[in-house]
């Protein structure tokens, strides 16, 4: 990927900082890519020479580098930790440790942002507004306030200038992903540019607090009839693209059994309700929170689960829901071929995937847990190992599917921290079986048959006209077939370099032959230069061009 010249100039200072941080943490491979492609080779070598022998593992150094690079890179690392289908477990474990806590923005700046977003002074919208924030992250910080209507509220205010900062740093991340893609031989199913674009879209959605407001309203509608879950209402008059005002909740974080017991709550019931809250999102509504960690959940009187942050929300379509159901039932029935068949039906296997070897390895994995009773199967651990197998065999699960499984694994980890009696597989199985039964519902089958019949009739009606159009184009000589070759640009570039080198070799040969013919001759050219002198000049030029050609071949490392 070629860097746009004007964008590279605007990012120059930031690139230098990134090179220094990567070198300091011993990430030499990425350093070499950035140094070579971004024209910081001399600076990269300088920093690389100062790098001490690493004292930490590579995943730890990646996490430390992201922490030092700042909020956008921290957010990127957090989102990357939700992709166990692409990131090995050791890296996922480290990236999960990234903390999104930042120094608060001075209140004067927050006040100006509030006035700009709400179109008036604070006093017009709030009776009271605490100057000290109760939480501060990379995207926004939260203040406690009282609205003009008397509601105690949590006011989430976007940090001034953060949208522009995120946009610039996401551009840098995309450029770096392009460099990595061009330098390293990556697996076919791993496209760093596409991954960065997906994560960039997620970060940009999180900076738009009006998007979070829409998510909050959707969750409130979905769980309106569930008295075990509470979604805080938003106060629309005090909301904008950079401000989200919602009910302030005073509850207990589900971080430990002891904390809940001290507040008079039932940890076993909280674990069960928390899991069902996530599973209903996945199976009943297809819209789920991608990061249900304890910091985004509170428990109030009556063991009611309260969700707080709706910035990271994804949608799981019916086909991916069915794929999850097949995976769960494959575990319950210990049938590895069932999940491989589901992968094939959804076209998730690449050309490099050996479906028989994949089934054999999954079957071997299921055999490890075969001796355990169903209610003792550690679902999260098994899913982590399954993702290892998926990566190994080049399976391409949808990004939303990986996010959903990560969400389910997170809630299992939270629930297991509260009670040893919790078994996620027992909670999952009824949802999976119900979804499978719904697929076989005669009414759904009839509806699908009607839709298929309608589509067939439409196709039959269009077919004569389409065939006639094709035949007319063939007869008139206008029929064209477009062929797309995925790596044609690389081939053209390689041929271009080869032809240039061949041309230089021919020029050098011509100079040598011409000079050899001129040196033995007497006389001069137009009475100005002797022919022998021209021959010597030709030899020198051929020697210089030859040395340059050999040097370029050696530098390219392709002899």
């Amino acid at each position: 990927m070629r860097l746009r010249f004007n964008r590279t100039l605007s990012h120059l200072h930031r690139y230098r900082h990134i090179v220094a941080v990567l070198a300091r943490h011993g990430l030499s491979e990425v350093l070499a890519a950035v140094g070579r492609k971004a024209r910081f080779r001399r600076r990269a070598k300088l920093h690389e020479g100062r790098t001490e022998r690493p004292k930490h593992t590579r995943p730890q150094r990646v996490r430390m580098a992201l922490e030092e690079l700042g909020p956008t890179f921290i957010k990127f690392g957090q989102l990357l930790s939700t992709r166990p289908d692409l990131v090995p477990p050791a890296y996922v474990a480290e990236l999960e440790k990234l903390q999104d806590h930042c120094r608060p923005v001075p209140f004067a700046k927050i006040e100006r942002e509030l006035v700009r977003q709400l179109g008036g002074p604070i006093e017009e919208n709030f009776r009271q507004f605490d100057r000290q924030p109760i939480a501060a992250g990379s995207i926004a910080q939260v203040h406690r306030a009282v609205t003009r209507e008397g509601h105690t509220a949590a006011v989430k205010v976007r940090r001034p200038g953060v949208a522009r900062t995120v946009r610039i740093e996401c551009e840098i991340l995309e450029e770096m992903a392009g460099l990595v893609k061009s330098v390293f031989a990556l697996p076919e199913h791993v496209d760093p540019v596409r991954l960065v674009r997906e994560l960039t879209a997620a970060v940009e959605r999180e900076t738009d607090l009006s998007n979070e407001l829409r998510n909050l309203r959707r969750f409130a509608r979905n769980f309106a009839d569930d008295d075990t879950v509470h979604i805080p209402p938003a106060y629309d008059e005090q909301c904008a693209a950079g401000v989200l005002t919602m009910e302030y909740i005073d509850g207990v974080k589900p971080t430990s059994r002891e904390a809940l017991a001290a507040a008079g709550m039932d940890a076993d019931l909280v674990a069960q309700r928390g899991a069902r809250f996530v599973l209903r999102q996945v199976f009943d509504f297809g819209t789920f929170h991608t990061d249900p960690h304890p910091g985004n959940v509170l428990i109030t009187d009556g063991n009611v689960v309260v969700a707080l942050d709706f910035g990271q929300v994804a949608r799981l379509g019916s086909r991916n829901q069915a794929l999850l159901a097949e995976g769960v039932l494959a575990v319950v029935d210990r049938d590895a071929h069932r999940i491989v068949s589901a992968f094939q039906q959804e076209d998730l296997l690449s050309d490099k995937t050996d479906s028989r070897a994949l089934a054999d390895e999954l079957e071997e994995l299921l055999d490890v847990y075969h001796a355990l009773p169903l209610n003792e199967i550690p679902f999260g651990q098994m899913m982590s190992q399954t993702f290892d197998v998926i990566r190994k065999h080049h399976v391409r699960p949808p990004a939303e599917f990986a996010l959903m499984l990560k969400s389910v694994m997170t809630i299992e980890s939270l629930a297991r921290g509260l009670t040893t009696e919790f078994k996620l597989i027992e909670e999952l199985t009824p949802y999976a079986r119900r979804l499978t039964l719904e697929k076989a519902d005669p009414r759904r089958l009839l509806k699908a048959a009607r839709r298929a019949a309608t589509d067939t009739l439409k196709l039959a009606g269009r077919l004569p006209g389409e065939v006639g159009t094709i035949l007319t184009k063939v007869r008139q000589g206008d029929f064209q077939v477009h062929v797309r070759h995925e790596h044609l640009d690389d081939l053209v570039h390689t041929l271009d370099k080869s032809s240039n080198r061949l041309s230089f070799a021919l020029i050098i040969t011509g100079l040598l032959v011409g000079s050899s013919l001129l040196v033995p001759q007497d006389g001069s050219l137009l009475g100005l230069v002797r022919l022998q002198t021209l021959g010597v000049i030709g030899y020198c030029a051929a020697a210089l061009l030859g040395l340059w050609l050999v040097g370029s071949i050696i530098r390219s490392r392709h002899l």
Side-chain angles (χ1 to χ4, degrees):
M1 176 181 177
R2 294 184 177 181
L3 303 180
R4 296 178 177 84
F5 181 70
N6 58 343
R7 184 181 290 181
T8 303
L9 287 178
S10 66
H11 298 166
L12 182 62
H13 177 74
R14 187 61 171 151
Y15 267 114
R16 288 175 174 170
H17 177 63
I18 291 170
V19 168
V21 171
L22 293 176
R24 188 156 46 247
H25 291 284
L27 300 173
S28 56
E29 293 90 347
V30 180
L31 175 67
V34 176
R36 179 165 60 252
K37 295 290 183 178
R39 301 182 183 277
F40 299 135
R41 186 179 303 167
R42 183 177 302 175
R43 179 178 293 272
K45 287 184 177 180
L46 178 63
H47 285 295
E48 192 172 17
R50 294 175 180 173
T51 303
E52 299 179 359
R53 185 175 180 178
K55 299 178 182 178
H56 301 88
T57 64
R58 185 179 298 277
Q60 289 174 330
R61 286 183 276 126
V62 169
R63 172 181 57 78
M64 294 162 64
L66 291 175
E67 287 175 337
E68 188 171 345
L69 285 171
T72 305
F73 287 82
I74 290 174
K75 184 64 66 177
F76 176 80
Q78 290 174 329
L79 293 171
L80 202 58
S81 73
T82 65
R83 296 300 306 274
D85 57 317
L86 300 176
V87 181
Y91 286 86
V92 170
E94 281 298 321
L95 294 176
E96 285 177 338
K97 298 176 183 177
L98 289 168
Q99 297 298 311
D100 191 17
H101 299 307
C102 300
R103 181 177 299 176
V105 175
F107 183 73
K109 294 183 178 180
I110 290 295
E111 184 175 15
R112 285 197 295 271
E113 183 69 10
L114 273 169
V115 170
R116 188 175 71 85
Q117 291 287 336
L118 300 181
I122 291 179
E123 294 75 15
E124 289 184 3
N125 294 283
F126 302 97
R127 290 184 188 177
Q128 178 186 341
F129 197 97
D130 292 353
R131 299 175 66 90
Q132 291 298 322
I134 55 178
S138 57
I139 302 297
Q141 63 188 51
V142 182
H143 292 256
R144 185 171 179 172
V146 178
T147 67
R148 298 299 299 176
E149 296 77 18
H151 302 296
T152 303
V155 184
K156 189 173 185 178
V157 186
R158 188 170 62 194
R159 298 170 76 96
V162 71
R164 180 177 181 277
T165 300
V166 166
R167 178 179 54 78
I168 291 174
E169 296 201 331
C170 284
E171 288 173 356
I172 292 174
L173 280 168
E174 186 173 335
E175 291 168 356
M176 292 179 65
L179 300 177
V180 170
K181 183 178 180 179
S182 66
V183 171
F184 300 114
L186 299 173
E188 182 183 356
H189 67 290
V190 177
D191 184 348
V193 175
R194 179 173 57 82
L195 176 62
V196 168
R197 285 175 180 169
E198 290 175 359
L199 299 178
T200 295
V203 175
E204 289 179 343
R205 284 195 299 269
E206 196 168 349
T207 62
D208 181 5
L209 298 188
S210 59
N211 177 67
E212 183 172 349
L213 175 61
R214 289 190 293 271
N215 292 333
L216 186 149
R217 288 171 175 163
R218 182 183 296 115
F219 273 70
R221 289 193 301 270
N222 291 344
F223 290 92
D225 61 345
D226 190 340
D227 57 6
T228 68
V229 173
H230 178 66
I231 306 299
Y235 304 122
D236 293 353
E237 292 184 2
Q238 289 83 31
C239 291
V243 178
L244 175 62
T245 304
M246 58 193 294
E247 178 188 16
Y248 177 84
I249 302 295
D250 188 9
V252 179
K253 289 186 178 181
T255 52
S256 70
R257 188 179 184 86
E258 292 73 19
L260 292 173
M265 297 175 185
D266 186 338
D268 294 341
L269 187 57
V270 167
Q272 183 185 66
R273 287 181 173 180
R276 290 181 179 175
F277 173 52
V278 172
L279 295 179
R280 284 200 69 193
Q281 295 173 39
V282 171
F283 287 98
D284 290 348
F285 308 117
T287 301
F288 64 96
H289 198 298
T290 62
D291 193 22
H293 64 77
N296 289 336
V297 178
L298 289 177
I299 310 300
T300 58
D301 293 341
N303 301 298
V304 175
V305 177
V306 182
L308 298 180
D309 191 331
F310 297 90
Q312 296 182 32
V313 171
R315 175 160 180 77
L316 193 72
S318 57
R319 295 176 66 178
N320 288 335
Q321 287 177 319
L323 183 62
L324 172 62
E326 290 295 324
V328 173
L329 295 178
V331 173
V332 173
D333 300 333
R334 297 177 175 88
D335 183 0
H337 292 277
R338 181 170 190 164
I339 187 62
V340 174
S341 176
F343 285 154
Q344 289 175 328
Q345 290 176 10
E346 295 299 323
D347 195 26
L348 301 179
L349 305 183
S350 72
D351 295 337
K352 296 182 179 179
T353 303
D354 183 338
S355 57
R356 180 173 296 180
L358 174 61
D360 289 343
E361 195 156 346
L362 287 174
E363 190 170 357
E364 183 179 345
L365 177 62
L366 292 178
D367 285 343
V368 174
Y369 300 98
H370 182 75
L372 294 176
L374 180 62
N375 63 354
E376 293 184 13
I377 294 178
F379 186 80
Q381 177 182 326
M382 187 175 61
M383 281 297 101
S384 178
Q385 294 172 340
T386 301
F387 276 123
D388 288 341
V389 175
I390 282 176
R391 281 193 303 271
K392 178 181 176 181
H393 290 276
H394 310 285
V395 180
R396 304 179 299 246
E400 296 81 9
F401 187 75
L403 287 171
M404 176 274 305
L405 280 178
K406 176 63 178 177
S407 182
V408 172
M409 291 161 62
T410 300
I411 201 64
E412 185 199 31
S413 175
L414 187 154
R416 280 181 176 269
L418 299 179
T419 173
T420 57
E421 300 300 319
F422 178 80
K423 309 299 178 186
L424 179 62
I425 196 72
E426 288 186 340
E427 300 290 337
L428 269 169
T429 304
Y431 286 97
R433 292 206 185 280
R434 189 194 68 196
L435 191 61
T436 304
L437 289 174
E438 287 177 355
K439 286 176 62 179
D441 187 342
R443 288 173 296 183
R444 293 189 63 178
L445 294 175
L446 181 60
K447 184 178 179 181
R450 287 175 178 170
R451 184 165 56 247
T454 301
D455 292 342
T456 302
L457 289 173
K458 288 180 180 178
L459 178 61
R462 293 199 313 268
L463 191 58
E466 297 287 352
V467 172
T469 301
I470 293 173
L471 292 175
T472 300
K473 287 187 175 182
V474 171
R475 187 167 53 251
Q476 295 175 348
D478 294 332
F479 187 75
Q480 298 179 353
V481 177
H482 298 278
V483 179
R484 179 177 176 270
H485 193 291
E486 286 196 347
H487 301 290
L488 191 59
D489 290 343
D490 294 338
L491 178 61
V492 171
H493 181 64
T494 301
L495 290 174
D496 188 45
K497 289 177 63 177
S498 300
S499 62
N500 287 341
R501 288 177 180 175
L502 183 60
S503 299
F504 268 100
L506 290 173
I507 292 172
I508 293 169
T509 302
L511 285 172
L512 290 174
V513 172
S515 299
S516 298
L517 293 174
L518 290 174
V519 168
Q521 303 296 324
D522 292 327
S524 62
L525 179 65
L526 301 177
L528 298 175
V529 182
R530 296 186 60 187
L531 296 178
Q532 291 179 340
T533 303
L534 284 175
V536 173
I537 293 173
Y539 279 134
C540 293
L544 291 173
L545 289 174
L547 289 173
W548 180 86
L549 181 59
V550 171
S552 68
I553 293 174
I554 292 174
R555 284 196 302 273
S556 69
R557 300 180 181 179
H558 294 290
L559 298 178

